[in-house]
């Protein structure tokens, strides 16, 4: 059985997973991440978008215009991949590139009006997908789960 086949096994097989594996937070997070990535990726693909598109548009909306390097740091997208992401967004008129007045060798990226509308649409899609992902949890449990994950990620981000 390949790894991909193992990931696609029915959830009933999870009951046969050894207890020592089901008690490991790292394994549970890894398994949930694989399922979450697939759910989100497929959901965004139906809207002709990718997770990186959302990350860049959200960064531009929240923090304003920035250079490719700034967007890379803000979004966690490798600099080498950022050009391709920005090309895709620019081809769809979701972002605008203008020369930096302080350094003509670089561009400043700005979200366009069309990009803001697209981001609102993606927000709605992601809200629905997260409802599906977190369906077994109550609203209070969802909030607590996100706070706990944020706390863990912040701790390990500062530590590295």
């Amino acid at each position: 059985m390949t790894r991909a086949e193992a990931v696609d096994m029915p959830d009933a097989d999870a009951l046969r997973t050894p207890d020592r594996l089901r008690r490991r937070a790292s394994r549970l997070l890894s398994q949930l991440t694989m399922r979450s990535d697939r759910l989100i990726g497929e959901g965004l693909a139906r809207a002709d978008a990718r997770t990186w598109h959302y990350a860049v548009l959200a960064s531009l909306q929240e923090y304003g215009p920035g250079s490719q390097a700034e967007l890379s740091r803000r979004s966690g997208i490798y600099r080498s991949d950022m050009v391709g992401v920005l090309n895709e967004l620019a081809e769809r008129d979701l972002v605008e590139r203008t020369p930096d007045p302080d350094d003509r060798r670089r561009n400043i990226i700005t979200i366009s009006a069309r990009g803001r509308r697209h981001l609102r649409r993606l927000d709605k899609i992601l809200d629905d997908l997260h409802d599906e992902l977190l369906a077994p949890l109550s609203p209070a449990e969802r909030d607590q789960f996100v706070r706990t994950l944020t706390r863990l990620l912040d701790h390990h981000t500062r530590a590295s």
Side-chain angles (χ1 to χ4, degrees):
M1 174 182 316
T2 68
R3 182 172 181 223
E5 290 169 333
V7 170
D8 288 333
M9 292 172 60
D11 288 335
D13 287 339
L15 299 175
R16 291 187 285 188
T17 301
D19 283 342
R20 66 176 15 112
L21 291 177
R22 290 188 56 82
R23 289 191 312 258
R24 299 288 176 198
S26 59
R27 184 170 195 287
L28 294 171
L29 287 169
S30 176
Q31 295 292 303
L32 185 58
T33 296
M34 286 189 291
R35 284 165 170 51
S36 173
D37 285 349
R38 184 180 318 133
L39 177 71
I40 301 303
E42 290 171 359
L44 288 175
R46 288 190 296 269
D48 195 27
R50 297 187 304 138
T51 55
W52 294 131
H53 295 166
Y54 183 79
V56 169
L57 293 173
S59 173
L60 290 169
Q61 180 67 28
E62 187 165 337
Y63 297 111
S67 69
Q68 289 179 194
E70 287 171 311
L71 289 172
S72 177
R73 285 189 297 276
R74 290 181 199 170
S75 64
I77 300 172
Y78 290 114
R79 283 178 155 191
S80 58
D81 295 331
M82 182 59 74
V83 173
V85 172
L86 291 175
N87 286 343
E88 291 172 7
L89 293 172
E91 287 169 7
R92 298 169 187 194
D93 296 322
L94 301 174
V95 299
E96 299 167 354
R97 290 179 171 136
T98 56
D100 184 337
D102 297 328
D103 184 349
R104 293 279 188 202
R105 294 171 295 172
R106 70 179 181 186
N107 288 315
I108 297 296
I109 313 302
T110 306
I111 190 169
S112 67
R114 184 175 182 171
R116 285 189 292 279
R117 287 190 303 274
H118 189 64
L119 179 61
R120 284 191 299 274
R121 180 172 175 234
L122 295 180
D123 278 333
K124 172 65 174 128
I125 290 168
L126 285 172
D127 287 346
D128 293 345
L129 291 168
H130 284 115
D131 284 345
E132 183 178 340
L133 178 68
L134 302 174
L137 304 178
S138 70
E141 289 171 323
R142 291 175 188 198
D143 290 343
Q144 182 60 48
F145 182 63
V146 169
R147 283 193 306 273
T148 301
L149 288 174
T150 301
R151 185 172 160 200
L152 286 166
L153 183 58
D154 288 350
H155 169 80
H156 290 287
T157 301
R158 281 191 299 270
S160 57

